[in-house]
Amino acid sequence: MAAFDIDDIVQSLQTVRQQWREVQKRSLEPGGRELPAREALANIVETLKGVLFPMRLGPHDLRQESENFYVGHALDSALHGLFAQAQLELQYRDRHLSRDDENIATRAGVAVRAFAARLPEIRTLLDSDVLAAYHGDPAAGSVDEVLLCYPGVLAMIHHRLAHELYKLDLRLLARIVAELAHGETGIDIHPGARIGKGFFIDHGTGVVIGETTIIGDHVRVYQAVTLGAKRFPSNAEGHLEKGLARHPIVEDEVVIYAGATILGRVTLGRGAVIGGNVWLTHDVAPGANVTQAISRNEGVQLRVAATVS
Amino acid sequence: MAAFDIDDIVQSLQTVRQQWREVQKRSLEPGGRELPAREALANIVETLKGVLFPMRLGPHDLRQESENFYVGHALDSALHGLFAQAQLELQYRDRHLSRDDENIATRAGVAVRAFAARLPEIRTLLDSDVLAAYHGDPAAGSVDEVLLCYPGVLAMIHHRLAHELYKLDLRLLARIVAELAHGETGIDIHPGARIGKGFFIDHGTGVVIGETTIIGDHVRVYQAVTLGAKRFPSNAEGHLEKGLARHPIVEDEVVIYAGATILGRVTLGRGAVIGGNVWLTHDVAPGANVTQAISRNEGVQLRVAATVS
Amino acid sequence: MAAFDIDDIVQSLQTVRQQWREVQKRSLEPGGRELPAREALANIVETLKGVLFPMRLGPHDLRQESENFYVGHALDSALHGLFAQAQLELQYRDRHLSRDDENIATRAGVAVRAFAARLPEIRTLLDSDVLAAYHGDPAAGSVDEVLLCYPGVLAMIHHRLAHELYKLDLRLLARIVAELAHGETGIDIHPGARIGKGFFIDHGTGVVIGETTIIGDHVRVYQAVTLGAKRFPSNAEGHLEKGLARHPIVEDEVVIYAGATILGRVTLGRGAVIGGNVWLTHDVAPGANVTQAISRNEGVQLRVAATVS
Amino acid sequence: MAAFDIDDIVQSLQTVRQQWREVQKRSLEPGGRELPAREALANIVETLKGVLFPMRLGPHDLRQESENFYVGHALDSALHGLFAQAQLELQYRDRHLSRDDENIATRAGVAVRAFAARLPEIRTLLDSDVLAAYHGDPAAGSVDEVLLCYPGVLAMIHHRLAHELYKLDLRLLARIVAELAHGETGIDIHPGARIGKGFFIDHGTGVVIGETTIIGDHVRVYQAVTLGAKRFPSNAEGHLEKGLARHPIVEDEVVIYAGATILGRVTLGRGAVIGGNVWLTHDVAPGANVTQAISRNEGVQLRVAATVS
Amino acid sequence: MAAFDIDDIVQSLQTVRQQWREVQKRSLEPGGRELPAREALANIVETLKGVLFPMRLGPHDLRQESENFYVGHALDSALHGLFAQAQLELQYRDRHLSRDDENIATRAGVAVRAFAARLPEIRTLLDSDVLAAYHGDPAAGSVDEVLLCYPGVLAMIHHRLAHELYKLDLRLLARIVAELAHGETGIDIHPGARIGKGFFIDHGTGVVIGETTIIGDHVRVYQAVTLGAKRFPSNAEGHLEKGLARHPIVEDEVVIYAGATILGRVTLGRGAVIGGNVWLTHDVAPGANVTQAISRNEGVQLRVAATVS
Amino acid sequence: MAAFDIDDIVQSLQTVRQQWREVQKRSLEPGGRELPAREALANIVETLKGVLFPMRLGPHDLRQESENFYVGHALDSALHGLFAQAQLELQYRDRHLSRDDENIATRAGVAVRAFAARLPEIRTLLDSDVLAAYHGDPAAGSVDEVLLCYPGVLAMIHHRLAHELYKLDLRLLARIVAELAHGETGIDIHPGARIGKGFFIDHGTGVVIGETTIIGDHVRVYQAVTLGAKRFPSNAEGHLEKGLARHPIVEDEVVIYAGATILGRVTLGRGAVIGGNVWLTHDVAPGANVTQAISRNEGVQLRVAATVS
């Protein structure tokens, strides 16, 4: 068989890479990769799942009487892995933003230490999520089935870890951890979202929860629920404003059924129930029960003026 | 680099684990893991896929004239793997519910033997699903493309295996098998659902089919269709009633387009067509053609009374 | 433990396999597998991701000054892998359709060469997609975060490769490449869809884009958007007509919000904005802003006549 | 290509297997494998190497301050793995010899516990072996080079573990552990051999040390040294007598140069030096220096009478 | 860090490769690898070990009642793997020697079929080797220990397979199979050697058995025994004569102790015993007992004339 | 089953580790591993084998027309891997010997660059070794069989790489590379040995070649040949003198048959032939033919005086 024209294509690909790098003002200096690695984060999260739930998500031959040895070793390994990735993120970010000179390793160490200190609290929160799923789903056979099987619980393990990274300003690591769960479960929770205890996502595929969302305790949501932004304001130069509070506030004990879409910085009051497929862009009073019909009528008025502009 | 405070975190994690175990009334005795393992089930299902479709999902170097050797060996391996997992589930369940003293191994053996006897019928059903997909999708190039590529077919392979496990009361194994497909395809079929032959799920992401759903022959559904429960009644002590028939009955040759939501123990009569995004909580007559407009009008009446309670 | 009745089940499984093969008019001759392999395609795509973005999706120890060596070697390996798979597809297809006698290897070689020549252009298109995501999402921290994390970008890498295979009439390979992304991201783009530069899919889970869809430049879509077909006409013999233009045309700079469903060969004019959950089966004028309320009113008129037939 | 006659060969192979089983009086009942597994032992030894030398043979990312966690977890895992293999050996042996009824698990547990208690002493002995190698070889750069690189040290790690198993009457496990080292190093030490501290084998390929050998402290041997048996007496029925003391006793501080062969229950007195290629079948006085010439002369007399019988 | 001068070294390496290819008269045409692969042969032999001894060297979860399925499937896989490697060897050889035009695939098929037909006989021979080891070693605990642990048995499994390949003129494959065992055991048996039943190699490291050696039944050899050639005659052009009978004939029931060296086409008569370290270049009568002293005296006379030439 | 006393053993192991560290004056500070890793070196050598012989020891799907891409990429990867290991060795050594302050990375870079520059010459030397084996063994079928199969060639690939590392004072890396080959082949060549072109080791098991050995061109040795030291002088403090020339010099075209032992700084003159099992501790004239008888006579005189001291 005749050969393929490898040389030509290699040249052309180099040309388009260089165009990209010039436009992006990237260094053309020799040097290695400087980005955190998805595979490394996947390993770290997998290890941390064993650290948090050793007898259920740890190694199969573990025994209760030796848990602490495993937990200690796995934790040590995960934290040092995270430390390396945190340094990569900090270096990468500095290259772009040329921040202060503070030592990268010191900053990464501080962040990882703070992250580690949060793990017991994360386990407690996840226990409350497991119980919420067990009590909220008539098909759930046991708390252990919930931990082993429910995608909503898997998504929350990732989220509660990712959220700590986000708070420690390791946003790229946080995002990678979140997207690993998104890929496995179809549940897309931005690591910035603040979520109280006892949170239960049933079925989960298609759920989207935005960056500035705030969710209280004992909230329950079903598949394809969106807690999103209504619009993205731009600043004077025409760039999107970043960091504005633009997603809903969901108070304690709210239930949101499948396919409901809540957009913008609205508040769903404590104990409100949002029906399936409801489309909501305004506040809901505590205890209110909103179904499609009602929301549509109100919604039409708000939106008619803006249509066919 | 200074070390992380591994000892402290290990201690704190032990404390929260003990709290959980006390609340959950778990044994603190020495002992190993007693739960079935997701990875083991994944291997078993992968092997059974080769058993069912040796020349298409079996090993690449297989030849037709030697199929039976492969099928026999793989079947033997898969059944003994399943036997081990079945024993784990039965032991686990007994720990909680303290059932009768009947021998675990005997019960697991009976179940696996019954499961195995169903495999030829499962293959026949899956053949009908493959044909349904081939005939139902104008983009399908061949029956083999359908088997290799279509997530709906993958979900049905898992489901038809999981459903047998469910009927044999191996519900945790069944659930794990179902969730493996859910993770890969975004299609969430509870193993309890009863589904006739020639079932076709197109695209599939976001489909949810509940535990007590009954689906006839030659039914077709599209992405994001929900066959769900309307509400979960609680018993006198305030716990959810488990096992009630609470999901739809879908008769033969019904078609349900994308995004439709059917909730509660309603019946969609033979040959009915449910339009995209329709929200349905009542019966539909055989042959009826329900679109969004109609369903909304009727739906409003039913639901208005219940809103803003 | 007593043995399972392996022999009996092996016999029964053979019987059902033979029934299938007879019905499908398959050869019962000795011989090996003749289908392309999902795992092989997964490896090829993984390698091509490194070829296209060596410093970000290539091996971790790569250095910029040696990129071309890696790119050349990986490209060579990927193309020869693809060449083998292409031959399998062509052989498989000929078995069914008994096409002309032209040499399989020659045809496969021509196709792979044409595919390879498109790679630089594909990289350029993907760069435009990355920029679109970066500019379109206020949560995006950098162009590299977008490339590493965003499922919409992963789906587009697969799609732009799959689309070339589709155009070269390697439709089974194209479909496998597309489904690999569907499984990972929940985004289901048929390889036949024609998509312009700067395409951004946010969140993505549940997006479905049909085979004959045509999308212009700088289009943005959100999760659960469907660009689908309204109906599938059958021909005189009652079989589905294949290959008809049956999906939407989306002109430049259109935005389609989450959950919107656009069905049939309609045209969304340049710069139109389609609101969340909108259900559309008719054309939209350039610059129009369609929200649920408006589309419903119009939609009702179109569809009422057809309901409850 | 035509198929191979698989069925015929399978039948013929079954026939010869049955002949073997009948001659060996093996059960033809259904049932699984009952032998310890080489791969399992290889994993256990690999883990124990990390337990004994965590910072040098343990995981690469280990840190000194977290050693104990790793050691505890790895030890737990290795001991339970060993416990399973010990049960297999005990079951296997009972099948043949029909020993007393004592519980297999109890006996295995006692043995593994005794084995574990010896590990600190084994580490101390191995430290003395490492030092002996460092001091005995002018080419050795450091004690760590010795531990990482020297096949003689690797052989001694295996031997000191295997010898404990041998003493606990787990002779099959002991043999497997010994043969793993033999395969890697060419050094064949029977697990029954008793070896004092500070033993150094240089180069090592071809060394053979027999079952009833006794070696004192600070002994040094070079490649291709044999400490073997002269003859194997048979008992009244013509079977080899097993367990007789038939290999040399080597007292403290003896040096045996390359290729020397010492056969039979002879004693090499303290501090003796045996020259290269020497062939010895008689005792050597303490402090003696035996070279080829001397040994030959004496050897001839002993052996002449027995030649050309 | 500065980059390494990859480009320069790549150029220099290309230059030396081209020099080699020119000297060796190799094609510089585009094209792939044409040599059999060591890894492929290693897999094939590993599979054949399971085919020959399914319950001891096959998969751990195998059960006696399902052996034939495994044997059939593994055999099929191994034979087709071997078929591919045989084609590679035949193609490779033709490139050099430009043989007749006979179809490569046909010739490979014939060879593999003949090889397969020999497997039951090979198993029978290996059973006799296992028994010989069990009866010949006082340290052997059981026939299964012998099969699992003894390097001499492993070497014979490889040899008996390799010898069939050699007889079928697949000499490169045969050599690779032999060297795989050499690497693992230190036992170097040329695949051409003809070896009778019940052959036992104890310890084994350093054993060398040459191409034209002929060994009878029930022969026993120990470590470091050489059955070699005395000299290699050259032909008129000064090249080594290939294929001449140049290694010893060892008749039934001979025993050769460790380190003995037998060189040239000499015959060791039935039942002869050759002592350790003996150096022999002449025939030995049946039943003779040769020790070092005797052989030396005779040896001196034979060799003195030839020394210091 | 009752638990093992993990805690106690962990404590005891810690105690013996601390004793070792105190005696060895090791730091007890927190910190990670600082030693080069055997597995890393194994990967690097494996890659370099592909770099040196791409079409024979490189990846199976390589094609001649794309060799340079592979060679460049693999070389880059191997050199950077080596660079990391070289830094580890330099850091490790400094910890012990507290050398000058020169930058570790700079020194490692210089060494790796020098190593890389030697690769083309190493390939040329290895080509000469391959030819020597092909011409020296009547059983060799082709030069490619020699490269694929002969353990002597494998040992020389390792040695020629290790020797460069040794010359660059990376002695621990060199030793690891050498021991990797020793483990696989039973051939133990110290990386310090200087070996000319066209060196052929036949069979090889048991060959030992010491650190200060010097070997000319076109030398041939057989299995179990030792080129060793006669004695190791100690210095005033009783420590072994390191680095003294203590191994033989072997001039061009010498042949040394199996089992011969040459000890001390003696010279074997050009073209000398040393017979099998010869024991030599004195010079041999060029062209001399030394057999056992002769060497023994001379040897006796030299050694008698020293025996039975």
Side-chain angles (χ1 to χ4, degrees), chain E residues 240-294:
Chain E
L240 293 175
E241 290 277 4
K242 305 219 166 191
L244 293 182
R246 61 195 185 278
H247 301 96
I249 296 171
V250 180
E251 293 184 352
D252 296 353
E253 286 166 30
V254 166
V255 179
I256 311 176
Y257 285 104
T261 304
I262 329 289
L263 300 181
R265 191 54 158 196
V266 301
T267 296
L268 309 187
R270 179 187 182 94
V273 176
I274 312 300
N277 275 14
V278 161
W279 173 276
L280 255 185
T281 57
H282 53 94
D283 288 355
V284 170
N289 193 342
V290 183
T291 64
Q292 245 180 337
I294 297 303

Side-chain angles (χ1 to χ4, degrees), chain A residues 9 81 163 281 306:
Chain A
I9 306 168
H163 184 57
T281 56

Side-chain angles (χ1 to χ4, degrees), chain E:
Chain E
M1 192 202 70
F4 301 121
D5 307 320
I6 304 291
D7 292 86
D8 286 359
I9 305 167
V10 168
Q11 283 312 311
S12 303
L13 285 167
Q14 183 175 35
T15 302
V16 294
R17 282 201 309 273
Q18 274 170 337
Q19 287 165 355
W20 171 262
R21 285 169 188 163
E22 278 158 24
V23 170
Q24 293 291 320
K25 300 196 177 64
R26 293 298 165 87
S27 162
L28 301 176
E29 294 289 300
R33 175 122 113 180
E34 290 167 14
L35 284 165
R38 196 177 174 98
E39 299 75 21
L41 267 300
N43 284 336
I44 289 165
V45 171
E46 211 52 40
T47 305
L48 288 174
K49 283 160 65 178
V51 165
L52 291 167
F53 301 98
M55 293 304 293
R56 289 174 284 174
L57 304 181
H60 286 114
D61 63 348
L62 194 62
R63 271 153 299 275
Q64 202 158 286
E65 66 272 22
S66 315
E67 274 179 322
N68 278 354
F69 289 119
Y70 166 71
V71 169
H73 172 56
L75 181 60
D76 188 59
S77 171
L79 294 182
H80 282 87
L82 188 60
F83 176 67
Q85 295 298 313
Q87 289 178 287
L88 284 171
E89 170 161 2
L90 294 173
Q91 280 161 3
Y92 170 75
R93 210 192 304 155
D94 277 8
R95 189 180 66 170
H96 285 270
L97 304 184
S98 71
R99 291 200 173 181
D100 58 298
D101 211 39
E102 195 190 342
N103 186 277
I104 294 285
T106 305
R107 284 162 57 202
V110 168
V112 173
R113 213 167 279 114
F115 173 84
R118 292 285 299 153
L119 287 172
E121 172 66 12
I122 288 173
R123 161 73 200 239
T124 300
L125 286 168
L126 289 170
D127 282 346
S128 75
D129 297 333
V130 167
L131 285 173
Y134 177 63
H135 291 133
D137 181 9
S142 72
V143 287
D144 296 322
E145 176 185 337
V146 163
L147 184 62
L148 282 186
C149 298
Y150 277 45
V153 170
L154 177 64
M156 286 309 292
I157 296 176
H158 279 249
H159 175 68
R160 297 207 184 276
L161 296 170
H163 184 57
E164 294 303 322
L165 296 170
Y166 179 91
K167 289 196 296 183
L168 293 161
D169 205 25
L170 294 167
R171 300 202 173 189
L172 182 47
L173 301 191
R175 185 66 185 253
I176 293 172
V177 170
E179 285 298 340
L180 288 166
H182 185 192
E184 259 184 90
T185 65
I187 298 170
D188 180 355
I189 311 178
H190 193 284
R194 290 160 49 191
I195 303 181
K197 67 184 176 196
F199 185 58
F200 173 37
I201 306 166
D202 203 2
H203 307 298
T205 310
V207 165
V208 175
I209 299 177
E211 182 174 15
T212 64
T213 305
I214 298 172
I215 296 176
D217 296 341
H218 304 301
V219 168
R220 203 160 86 223
V221 310
Y222 288 82
Q223 69 268 27
V225 161
T226 294
L227 303 175
K230 205 159 56 182
R231 57 168 184 262
F232 308 147
S234 301
N235 61 16
E237 295 95 58
H239 294 116
L240 293 175
E241 290 277 4
K242 305 219 166 191
L244 293 182
R246 61 195 185 278
H247 301 96
I249 296 171
V250 180
E251 293 184 352
D252 296 353
E253 286 166 30
V254 166
V255 179
I256 311 176
Y257 285 104
T261 304
I262 329 289
L263 300 181
R265 191 54 158 196
V266 301
T267 296
L268 309 187
R270 179 187 182 94
V273 176
I274 312 300
N277 275 14
V278 161
W279 173 276
L280 255 185
T281 57
H282 53 94
D283 288 355
V284 170
N289 193 342
V290 183
T291 64
Q292 245 180 337
I294 297 303
S295 70
R296 287 252 156 67
N297 291 343
E298 297 183 1
V300 165
Q301 295 178 319
L302 287 171
R303 272 175 291 121
V304 159
T307 54
V308 193
S309 57

Side-chain angles (χ1 to χ4, degrees), chain C residues 100 116 145 165 226 288:
Chain C
D100 59 297
E145 176 185 336
L165 296 171
T226 295

Side-chain angles (χ1 to χ4, degrees), chain A residues 51-65 67-68 71-73 75-76 79-80 83 105 108-109 112-113 116-117 119-121 123-124 127-128 130-131 134-145 148-151 183-185 202-205 220 222-223 257-258 275-277 287-294 296, chain B residues 1-6 8-14 16-17 19-21 23-24 26-40 92 95-96 171-172 175-176 179 182-184 186-188 190 205-211 226 230-232 239-243 246 259 261 277-279 292 296 300 303-304 306-309:
Chain A
V51 166
L52 290 167
F53 301 97
M55 293 303 292
R56 288 176 284 174
L57 303 181
H60 285 115
D61 62 349
L62 193 62
R63 270 154 301 276
Q64 203 159 286
E65 66 271 23
E67 275 178 321
N68 278 354
V71 169
H73 172 56
L75 181 61
D76 187 58
L79 294 183
H80 283 86
F83 176 66
V112 172
R113 214 166 280 115
L119 288 171
E121 172 66 11
R123 160 74 199 238
T124 299
D127 283 346
S128 73
V130 167
L131 285 174
Y134 178 61
H135 291 133
D137 180 9
S142 71
V143 287
D144 296 323
E145 176 187 336
L148 283 186
C149 298
Y150 278 44
E184 259 185 89
T185 65
D202 203 1
H203 307 298
T205 311
R220 202 158 90 222
Y222 289 82
Q223 71 269 23
Y257 284 104
N277 276 14
N289 193 341
V290 183
T291 65
Q292 248 180 333
I294 295 306
R296 286 251 156 67
Chain B
M1 194 202 69
F4 301 122
D5 307 320
I6 304 291
D8 287 357
I9 306 169
V10 167
Q11 284 310 313
S12 303
L13 284 167
Q14 184 176 32
V16 295
R17 282 202 309 273
Q19 287 165 355
W20 170 261
R21 285 167 187 164
V23 170
Q24 294 290 320
R26 293 298 165 88
S27 162
L28 300 177
E29 295 288 301
R33 173 122 114 182
E34 290 166 15
L35 284 165
R38 196 178 175 98
E39 300 72 24
Y92 169 75
R95 191 181 63 171
H96 285 270
R171 299 202 174 188
L172 182 47
R175 185 66 184 252
I176 294 173
E179 285 297 340
H182 185 191
E184 259 186 89
I187 299 170
D188 180 355
H190 193 283
T205 310
V207 164
V208 175
I209 299 177
E211 182 175 17
T226 294
K230 206 160 56 184
R231 58 168 183 261
F232 308 149
H239 294 117
L240 292 176
E241 291 276 5
K242 305 220 165 189
R246 59 194 185 279
T261 304
N277 275 14
V278 161
W279 172 277
Q292 243 179 336
R296 286 251 157 66
V300 166
R303 273 177 288 123
V304 159
T307 53
V308 193
S309 56

